[in-house]
């Protein structure tokens, strides 16, 4: 009986230590988040690994007074982000659609909601293992391994 429980535990641990996804994104910067969201919206099974405890990089780390230049050239997921931020501030009451300036915590909240709604698996505090954290087949990266030993396999 004890042996059976031990085998079951070891099997569960081994499955936890290996994750397989279509797309694995390392780094939860604004670019990493949008890459993960875009992949998931295209039907891919996506994992986003962030070595720290926050998402958004510079966009949510205090650099939220966006240097946007000409507003009319901003589109796609970036415009969606600013639009969602505007909804958080109820900006439409001022006859505006988007909020170009926002608090870092609001920006991170919007990014987290985008990830959750797209179905992205987010792994916080998953640092890449130093020296042996990248597995390759020729020149192609096939998997990455984090400091806790979890192996993330990905087609992309």
């Amino acid at each position: 009986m004890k042996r059976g429980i031990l085998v079951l535990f070891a099997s569960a641990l081994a499955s936890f230590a290996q994750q397989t996804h279509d797309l694995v994104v390392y780094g939860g910067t604004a670019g990493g988040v949008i890459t993960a969201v875009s992949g998931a919206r295209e039907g891919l099974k996506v994992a986003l690994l962030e070595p720290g405890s926050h998402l958004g990089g510079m966009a949510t780390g205090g650099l939220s007074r966006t240097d946007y230049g000409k507003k009319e050239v901003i589109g796609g997921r970036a415009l969606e982000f600013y639009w969602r931020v505007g909804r958080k501030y109820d900006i439409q009451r001022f006859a505006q659609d988007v909020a170009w300036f926002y608090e870092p915590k609001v920006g991170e909240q919007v990014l987290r909601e985008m990830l959750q709604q797209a179905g992205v698996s987010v792994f916080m505090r998953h640092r890449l293992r130093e020296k042996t954290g990248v597995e390759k087949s020729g020149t192609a990266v096939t998997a990455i391994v984090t400091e806790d030993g979890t192996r993330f396999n990905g087609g992309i």
Side-chain angles (χ1 to χ4, degrees):
M1 178 68 159
K2 289 181 185 177
R3 180 170 158 69
I5 292 172
L6 184 60
V7 169
L8 182 61
F9 178 73
S11 169
L13 189 59
S15 66
F16 171 74
Q18 183 160 308
Q19 301 267 340
T20 301
H21 299 272
D22 299 316
L23 170 63
V24 178
V25 178
Y26 184 76
T29 63
V33 169
I34 296 305
T35 298
V37 167
S38 296
R41 287 182 181 175
E42 291 297 321
L44 299 177
K45 181 181 176 188
V46 181
L48 173 67
L49 285 65
E50 166 53 39
S53 58
H54 293 284
L55 294 173
M58 289 192 306
T60 62
L63 183 65
S64 51
R65 183 165 175 83
T66 309
D67 182 14
Y68 52 77
K70 295 185 178 190
K71 295 177 191 173
E72 59 270 13
V73 301
I74 298 174
R77 306 272 192 259
L79 184 58
E80 177 188 348
F81 169 79
Y82 292 116
W83 179 83
R84 286 172 174 251
V85 168
R87 293 297 173 258
K88 292 285 181 197
Y89 288 110
D90 195 23
I91 202 82
Q92 63 269 19
R93 66 192 159 133
F94 301 111
Q96 300 291 317
D97 291 327
V98 298
W100 300 109
F101 307 119
Y102 55 91
E103 298 164 280
K105 67 181 180 183
V106 173
E108 184 170 359
Q109 182 183 20
V110 167
L111 293 175
R112 286 182 182 278
E113 288 172 359
M114 291 174 76
L115 288 162
Q116 191 272 328
Q117 291 167 0
V120 175
S121 298
V122 179
F123 299 86
M124 302 300 289
R125 295 182 185 91
H126 273 65
R127 290 172 45 99
L128 188 64
R129 181 182 285 168
E130 196 172 336
K131 296 183 183 177
T132 60
V134 178
E135 296 180 7
K136 296 169 99 178
S137 176
T139 59
V141 175
T142 57
I144 61 174
V145 181
T146 56
E147 288 179 339
D148 70 357
T150 307
R151 185 173 188 268
F152 290 85
N153 302 309
I156 304 169

